[in-house]
Amino acid sequence: MKIDTSRRGQLPTVDAPIPFASPDGQIRGWKLTIPGGRPLATPAVADGRVFLGGGFGSYEFYALDARTGQVVWQYQTEDDGPTAAVVAEERVVFNTESCELEVLTVEGKPVWKKWLGDPLLSMPAVGRGRVFMAYPDARGDRRHYLACFDLADGREIWRQPIAGEVITCPVLADDEVYLANLDGTLACFRQADGQPVWREDKNATSAPAVWRRQCYFSQRSAGAPAPAAYGAPQQQESLARKLSGLGTPTEVFAGTTGNADYLDHAKRQRGSQSYGMHATQDAGVGFGAHKGDAKIEQAMYNLGHGHVSAVWAYQGSKPFVSRGRLYSGLGDTAYCVEPDTKEVIWKKMLREGAEAGKELLDSILTPPVLVNGKQFLGTLDGRLLCLSADTGEALWSVPVGEPVVFQPAVARGRVYVPTGVGSLVCLETGDPADDGWLMWGATAAHDGRPEDLA
């Protein structure tokens, strides 16, 4: 556990938000700069407030007025790196990268916290009065576990061993907990008592989406050999699915298959723009050489990432189902697929200009946000895109001027866009029906909007 005692008791001053407008003046809002300039995770919106961590390496957590961006309250964590928060049952739940699970009231009062392990690189899920969280038993057998805690008091209800750290978060659906591990393992457990339902090695590269007992995910595969200079197979990525059950076949959506150099660790180490940045971020929190119990070699092999900070921010090509269609952003291309037939209804390549033809060593798209017949996506080159969910047509685009790494949140006609250098940008869409994606994955279950899955 890494504690910077020099930071204790020193809550940084946050300047007031400033007005923000798109270049054409059509989209307006505000921009808040969080001290430290660190990558910010997806905010959670509830009760007229925005709940936001101060980023990887920070010790701060904030509640903001959802309309104005003014700070309502500010909380200091004992350990650094608060993840994206979930809000459920008047509780705000998040974990720090090092090394605690925390529960606050929506008014910022501590309820309970629990030291779990070092590091914690996925976020919690909450459902039916319980918190589901993955962690390494750093003070015990060094294995990773999926654990279930009582939301009210933190009492451990059950825990089960898993293959390693979880990609992004557990997903709650159909009375079960689904997850993908860094090594590509997919697994399913019963929510009630933690009993394993099934576990299979699938080269999964994202947290799953679950719809009608089908488990959808992005999947890595090695195709034709890469150029001789690299001496390794060409990595590819596709959308895939399997029926939720042991031994059921996996079906690949062939129309979504494309080269995925962003999953190739050797290529990324040689040429990725973000690789060195993540090395610097790791060094800043004590992970310059040793990566704790992260089992980082799993991420290197399966996801192409070799840093704690990179896995903390990794969301992959996480698919979501909305109104009977499957949506995802793979690398630089957004897809809409008919799940039953696996037909690609539309796809849209979203890299611009001279970059479009280059090797893609950093995936540029956040997972999609699906509300009101629209799809919102952030991009690594600093844009917030609004597409028609039906056709993929670009409805509007706003350059926010800073890389967007984490999925935005959308509530009551506002899009909340966290950036990779410490800003939160709020954009007024002009349509109050743009609503309902209130945190990462829409809800505390992380599986999209329930009304879209009916």
Side-chain angles (χ1 to χ4, degrees):
M1 178 171 60
K2 308 173 297 301
I3 300 178
D4 181 359
T5 56
S6 67
R7 295 286 302 279
R8 284 187 173 174
Q10 299 178 19
L11 290 174
T13 300
V14 182
D15 293 335
I18 61 174
F20 181 91
S22 61
D24 62 7
Q26 297 301 305
I27 305 289
R28 296 184 176 274
W30 48 260
K31 177 179 179 180
L32 181 69
T33 299
I34 300 297
R38 301 176 177 90
L40 301 182
T42 304
V45 187
D47 300 323
R49 295 178 181 178
V50 177
F51 301 93
L52 177 71
F56 186 85
S58 81
Y59 291 76
E60 289 78 46
F61 192 87
Y62 303 90
L64 315 172
D65 184 280
R67 183 179 63 85
T68 67
Q70 296 285 344
V71 175
V72 177
W73 54 257
Q74 191 171 341
Y75 174 80
Q76 188 169 41
T77 63
E78 291 287 329
D79 296 312
D80 67 88
T83 59
V86 298
V87 181
E89 302 179 33
E90 299 296 308
R91 295 292 183 261
V92 183
V93 186
F94 62 94
N95 56 278
T96 57
E97 167 270 307
S98 174
C99 315
E100 296 180 326
L101 177 62
E102 296 221 28
V103 177
L104 310 177
T105 70
V106 292
E107 299 301 328
K109 304 300 182 184
V111 179
W112 59 266
K113 67 179 177 178
K114 189 179 294 288
W115 195 97
L116 293 179
D118 188 14
L120 305 177
L121 299 181
S122 57
M123 66 184 82
V126 177
R128 300 176 183 174
R130 294 180 171 187
V131 182
F132 301 86
M133 182 69 202
Y135 69 94
D137 187 6
R139 292 174 174 169
D141 61 12
R142 314 297 286 271
R143 299 182 69 182
H144 273 78
Y145 290 86
L146 175 69
C148 173
F149 303 99
D150 189 283
L151 177 61
D153 59 15
R155 173 178 56 90
E156 183 180 292
I157 299 170
W158 56 257
R159 75 171 188 169
Q160 286 287 350
I162 54 178
E165 180 59 85
V166 167
I167 298 176
T168 310
C169 60
V171 172
L172 309 182
D174 302 328
D175 300 321
E176 292 167 339
V177 188
Y178 294 82
L179 56 86
N181 293 117
L182 296 185
D183 68 352
T185 301
L186 282 177
C188 176
F189 302 84
R190 292 199 313 226
Q191 287 187 34
D193 57 12
Q195 285 302 302
V197 180
W198 54 266
R199 173 191 180 279
E200 295 183 6
D201 297 331
K202 289 297 177 183
N203 293 345
T205 54
S206 76
V210 183
W211 184 58
R212 296 180 178 175
R213 304 299 299 179
Q214 295 277 352
C215 188
Y216 298 89
F217 55 99
S218 57
Q219 183 180 52
R220 178 185 57 80
S221 61
Y230 294 117
Q234 173 64 55
Q235 298 302 311
Q236 295 186 312
E237 189 178 37
S238 313
L239 292 179
R241 73 174 173 202
K242 73 179 298 293
L243 183 66
S244 178
L246 182 64
T248 58
T250 297
E251 299 177 278
V252 173
F253 291 40
T256 66
T257 301
N259 288 346
D261 292 315
Y262 49 86
L263 297 177
D264 190 313
H265 181 258
K267 289 184 180 181
R268 295 193 69 254
Q269 191 173 28
R270 279 188 286 263
S272 161
Q273 293 184 3
S274 68
Y275 196 91
M277 175 193 71
H278 285 300
T280 300
Q281 290 173 351
D282 271 19
V285 296
F287 285 122
H290 182 58
K291 307 301 181 183
D293 287 303
K295 296 184 175 64
I296 205 70
E297 68 280 356
Q298 295 180 346
M300 292 168 67
Y301 176 79
N302 190 51
L303 305 177
H305 289 275
H307 300 100
V308 167
S309 57
V311 176
W312 180 91
Y314 181 86
Q315 298 143 90
S317 303
K318 168 73 166 80
F320 289 96
V321 175
S322 177
R323 300 187 300 177
R325 291 181 173 181
L326 183 68
Y327 296 86
S328 184
L330 283 80
D332 60 4
T333 304
Y335 287 90
C336 172
V337 181
E338 208 292 320
D340 291 334
T341 66
K342 298 185 287 184
E343 175 191 2
V344 176
I345 298 170
W346 59 260
K347 68 177 183 179
K348 192 175 186 67
M349 208 277 279
L350 295 169
R351 270 200 290 178
E352 291 188 326
E355 295 297 317
K358 294 182 180 179
E359 189 176 50
L360 186 65
L361 298 177
D362 293 299
S363 179
I364 72 163
L365 300 178
T366 69
V369 168
L370 298 155
V371 295
N372 193 27
K374 302 169 185 175
Q375 179 176 201
F376 295 91
L377 295 143
T379 71
L380 194 61
D381 59 10
R383 292 171 289 153
L384 190 282
L385 309 175
C386 178
L387 311 180
S388 164
D390 288 334
T391 66
E393 173 192 2
L395 303 179
W396 50 265
S397 173
V398 174
V400 298
E402 299 171 8
V404 183
V405 178
F406 272 86
Q407 185 183 61
V410 180
R412 297 187 177 183
R414 300 184 181 96
V415 185
Y416 299 91
V417 185
T419 80
V421 292
S423 299
L424 181 67
V425 180
C426 173
L427 304 175
E428 301 272 358
T429 71
D431 187 347
D434 295 338
D435 186 28
W437 206 277
L438 305 181
M439 58 200 76
W440 199 96
T443 71
H446 302 306
D447 201 32
R449 291 159 29 103
E451 57 266 41
D452 287 344
L453 298 172

